Amino acid sequence: MSERDSRYRINVVAEMTGVPAPTLRAWERRYGIPTPSRTAAAYRLYSDRDVAMVRKLRDLCAGGLSIAEAAQMVLKGEADTFIEAPGHLDAFEAATRRIVAAVIAFDPDLLEREVSRAVYLGSAVTVFEQVLGPVMRQVGDLWHAGTLSVAQEHLASEVVGSVVRALSRLVQPPAPSRRVLLAAFEDEEHVLGLYGVAIRLASWGIRSVDLGARTPPEALADAVARLSPDAVALTLTIALRPERAAATLERYAQACAGVPWFVGGAGAAAVATRVERLGGVVLAGEAATLRAAIEQALAVKPQRP
Amino acid sequence: MSERDSRYRINVVAEMTGVPAPTLRAWERRYGIPTPSRTAAAYRLYSDRDVAMVRKLRDLCAGGLSIAEAAQMVLKGEADTFIEAPGHLDAFEAATRRIVAAVIAFDPDLLEREVSRAVYLGSAVTVFEQVLGPVMRQVGDLWHAGTLSVAQEHLASEVVGSVVRALSRLVQPPAPSRRVLLAAFEDEEHVLGLYGVAIRLASWGIRSVDLGARTPPEALADAVARLSPDAVALTLTIALRPERAAATLERYAQACAGVPWFVGGAGAAAVATRVERLGGVVLAGEAATLRAAIEQALAVKPQRP
DNA sequence: AAAGATTAGACAAACATTGTACATTCGCGA
DNA sequence: TCGCGAATGTACAATGTTTGTCTAATCTTT
């Protein structure tokens, strides 16, 4: 390559990779990786290769490995079977891109393969938050932009949806734990977010019961009455019809009578004030908000007897 | 498949499987299963095989076995033969009844448990045909009869649907094989039958690509054009609006231009004559018809180049 | 002189380990 | 129907490991 290898000082590398300088030194001291060259005055000079190595280590760690194992892996050259990131991307971004590319190419086999592979990239929560969630967001965007056909969007939803659903069932904590009821508003077809919530809840030891898409308020009321869940989470990505929004929300609020309830999803912000007036909680930032809200809600109501 | 020698720390495994870390240690101590390798500092390192083992134990427990029995079974390698165990019809019927009972009782935990247990009763096809299919039929009937609430129907669909979907993905034959495109009519929400078809096709070595619920004819046309499948199978359980039925069917028929296409499901009989006039095939007795029809259709069109 | 790098060592938080103990739960015989 | 004992998940304590960060003293670059 005619590319003369540029050299970076440690703080530049820290900036580029997000790994603090002291940590970089610690990695070198403890695992001997990377081993940058030095100036006459012993200042570290990282080559592009070194930087790529740091990125690889960082990604492997994010995937659940310890730094010691990651280092060993990279040293033994095994890392490439595990992650093939084109240099400047981290593993999750790369996986996301490959999956979206498979959707664009309309290649179901490739899509299956890439999605299955992504599942091994880390814990369920990580995979959902870093890969499958973003994939569906991008697919949605591309679809709205007219880049993707309806068929492509369907295919992506089907494959990714089924994997996420399977993941969410796989990680369910054992039975005697608190339970959250999940459902989508009526006319709401998108339930991927619900599975994401289920996965996150599971990682905090909370089970979820999913009623799925298009759950009418009467059904929700019925389920709440019979199951007495510790909370209810609803997803809303579409826009409620303005003239009926108030009535609809009220019916859902009544269905949740006495149980903490949350509304999340892209369409939640639009109804935030109404929801709050009805005693519900709107999940804006999702992950962070959810954690706080759930903790607060479940702290009040102790473990079921 | 590629042998991955990834190694996971105990907490990662706990999150992946939903089995708490202390329990994992207890299982290892008491039943010697799994026996993860150790780091120099005696930290447990679980391989993918170990993780799969934990999942199997977990599932077997969910299916009603004690952990001791499950462990013994997995150790002796019986867990897989157990799958093909003697299929007395009573067992299937009993499982069906227990699952329906769980739906009626509105007990999500019991439902999960019974469904998980049923999965180990036989091969994917058998389980679907003998248990999960009948369950959904009965649930549908009970719902129509007003015995089940909407919430109960939703819950059953969600749990059974996700299991069937997972099954159908699990049994997909390897890539270089003939391919059938599956989709539901627009406005059609019930896709369970499609997964059943996918499972059956898989047992004959045919892959399927699923576009899922509410696939409009344009999307189908797009998918047919891009994927050139060997056949298309559509599901219809609802009644098409009479005044639009002819036009709708025609659009779907055109979407399938040149490819053998089938219509199945409870609503198929009602449009049988029209479908046949348009060159499609109606699947009446389901299993038997499907086999014959598919064989005939795919015999004409050879393996894709 | 100020900003930034170097080393070595120390430290604390997070996480694992083992062994023991405890509380439920469940099946079985009384 | 009542308890008894085995089975099983979980808690606790004491100890050890891993790893990011911090400190102090010194040196280089600008």
Side-chain angles (χ1 to χ4, degrees):
Chain A
M1 317 282 159
S2 64
E3 189 139 40
R4 48 171 293 278
D5 39 3
S6 20
R7 313 253 130 159
Y8 312 96
R9 297 264 260 255
I10 194 166
N11 262 353
V12 179
V13 176
E15 175 88 12
M16 286 194 293
T17 61
V19 180
T23 304
L24 287 174
R25 281 190 277 261
W27 286 0
E28 182 184 342
R29 171 161 34 101
R30 290 174 180 150
Y31 316 106
I33 195 173
T35 321
S37 56
R38 303 299 188 109
T39 68
Y43 276 26
R44 271 165 256 253
L45 284 182
Y46 290 80
S47 70
D48 285 321
R49 260 194 53 132
D50 293 329
V51 175
M53 216 175 246
V54 171
R55 289 206 170 100
K56 195 163 279 179
L57 288 173
R58 180 196 61 187
D59 294 343
L60 287 166
C61 288
L65 290 178
S66 69
I67 176 63
E69 285 141 17
Q72 192 155 13
M73 203 170 228
V74 171
L75 275 177
K76 282 201 287 184
E78 285 173 359
D80 293 323
T81 60
F82 207 76
I83 284 186
E84 310 124 28
H88 63 294
L89 294 178
D90 68 29
F92 302 125
E93 231 175 294
T96 307
R97 280 193 196 198
R98 282 200 306 270
I99 294 173
V100 172
V103 172
I104 293 173
F106 213 136
D107 184 334
D109 298 333
L110 183 62
L111 180 58
E112 279 282 350
R113 213 160 45 238
E114 292 295 353
V115 170
S116 312
R117 181 138 50 125
V119 170
Y120 286 95
L121 237 43
S123 70
V125 178
T126 313
V127 170
F128 179 78
E129 289 185 353
Q130 303 290 322
V131 182
L132 301 180
V135 162
M136 286 317 293
R137 222 168 297 134
Q138 286 181 36
V139 166
D141 292 346
L142 289 172
W143 179 62
H144 274 116
T147 311
L148 286 183
S149 68
V150 178
Q152 286 169 307
E153 198 266 349
H154 266 235
L155 180 65
S157 294
E158 193 62 26
V159 173
V160 175
S162 89
V163 169
V164 173
R165 204 201 286 222
L167 268 185
S168 83
R169 297 191 66 247
L170 218 54
V171 297
Q172 283 296 304
S177 68
R178 287 168 297 178
R179 233 172 7 185
V180 172
L181 194 58
L182 305 179
F185 273 79
E186 57 189 353
D187 299 329
E188 172 66 58
E189 287 182 61
H190 293 90
V191 288
L192 209 96
L194 282 185
Y195 301 133
V197 171
I199 290 175
R200 242 172 262 144
L201 289 175
S203 76
W204 305 329
I206 299 168
R207 290 174 70 78
S208 34
V209 176
D210 195 339
L211 294 181
R214 311 177 150 259
T215 302
E218 305 77 43
L220 185 64
D222 187 19
V224 169
R226 301 237 214 169
L227 298 176
S228 58
D230 299 275
V232 176
L234 294 163
T235 187
L236 182 64
T237 68
I238 56 176
L240 291 176
R241 293 236 304 279
E243 70 275 17
R244 293 180 45 197
T248 300
L249 283 173
E250 179 129 11
R251 282 155 69 217
Y252 278 97
Q254 277 176 8
C256 301
V259 177
W261 59 289
F262 310 92
V263 180
V271 295
T273 53
R274 266 198 235 274
V275 166
E276 270 154 21
R277 209 175 310 142
L278 288 165
V281 176
V282 172
L283 305 173
E286 292 284 314
T289 329
L290 178 63
R291 172 100 215 214
I294 286 280
E295 255 175 13
Q296 197 198 335
L298 297 198
V300 180
K301 190 168 177 178
Q303 196 106 0
R304 62 184 41 254
Chain B
M1 281 294 125
S2 63
E3 192 70 37
R4 232 174 269 275
D5 65 340
S6 28
R7 295 273 136 78
Y8 309 95
R9 291 282 175 79
I10 195 166
N11 261 354
V12 179
V13 177
E15 200 204 343
M16 286 195 293
T17 61
V19 179
T23 304
L24 287 173
R25 282 189 277 259
W27 286 1
E28 182 183 343
R29 173 160 34 93
R30 301 209 252 243
Y31 315 105
I33 193 172
T35 320
S37 56
R38 303 297 189 107
T39 68
Y43 279 24
R44 271 163 257 253
L45 286 180
Y46 291 79
S47 70
D48 282 323
R49 268 198 49 159
D50 293 329
V51 174
M53 218 176 245
V54 172
R55 289 207 171 110
K56 188 160 279 176
L57 288 174
R58 195 191 89 126
D59 287 348
L60 288 170
C61 288
L65 292 179
S66 73
I67 175 61
E69 289 166 315
Q72 192 149 18
M73 194 168 267
V74 172
L75 270 178
K76 283 202 285 185
E78 279 175 7
D80 300 317
T81 55
F82 179 56
I83 288 177
E84 287 302 341
H88 354 272
L89 288 177
D90 315 350
F92 300 134
E93 226 178 290
T96 308
R97 223 171 302 146
R98 280 200 307 271
I99 295 174
V100 173
V103 173
I104 292 173
F106 214 137
D107 184 332
D109 298 334
L110 183 61
L111 179 58
E112 280 282 350
R113 210 158 48 234
E114 292 297 351
V115 171
S116 305
R117 197 203 304 210
V119 169
Y120 288 90
L121 237 46
S123 70
V125 178
T126 314
V127 169
F128 179 77
E129 289 185 352
Q130 302 291 325
V131 182
L132 301 180
V135 162
M136 285 318 291
R137 223 167 297 134
Q138 287 182 35
V139 166
D141 292 347
L142 289 171
W143 179 60
H144 274 115
T147 311
L148 286 184
S149 69
V150 180
Q152 285 169 307
E153 198 268 347
H154 266 235
L155 179 66
S157 294
E158 193 64 24
V159 173
V160 175
S162 88
V163 168
V164 173
R165 204 202 289 221
L167 270 184
S168 84
R169 298 188 66 246
L170 212 60
V171 296
Q172 283 296 303
S177 67
R178 288 167 299 177
R179 227 168 18 179
V180 173
L181 193 58
L182 306 179
F185 274 77
E186 58 188 354
D187 299 331
E188 172 66 59
E189 288 182 61
H190 293 88
V191 288
L192 210 95
L194 283 184
Y195 301 134
V197 171
I199 291 175
R200 246 173 258 145
L201 289 174
S203 75
W204 306 328
I206 300 167
R207 292 173 69 77
S208 33
V209 176
D210 195 339
L211 294 180
R214 310 177 152 259
T215 301
E218 305 78 45
L220 185 62
D222 187 19
V224 169
R226 300 237 214 171
L227 298 176
S228 59
D230 299 276
V232 176
L234 295 162
T235 188
L236 182 63
T237 68
I238 56 175
L240 291 176
R241 293 236 304 280
E243 71 277 15
R244 293 180 46 197
T248 301
L249 282 173
E250 179 129 11
R251 282 155 69 216
Y252 277 98
Q254 276 176 9
C256 299
V259 177
W261 60 288
F262 310 91
V263 180
V271 295
T273 55
R274 268 199 234 274
V275 166
E276 272 155 20
R277 208 176 309 143
L278 288 164
V281 177
V282 173
L283 304 173
E286 292 284 314
T289 330
L290 178 63
R291 172 100 215 212
I294 286 280
E295 257 176 11
Q296 197 198 334
L298 297 198
V300 180
K301 190 167 176 179
Q303 197 105 358
R304 60 184 42 254

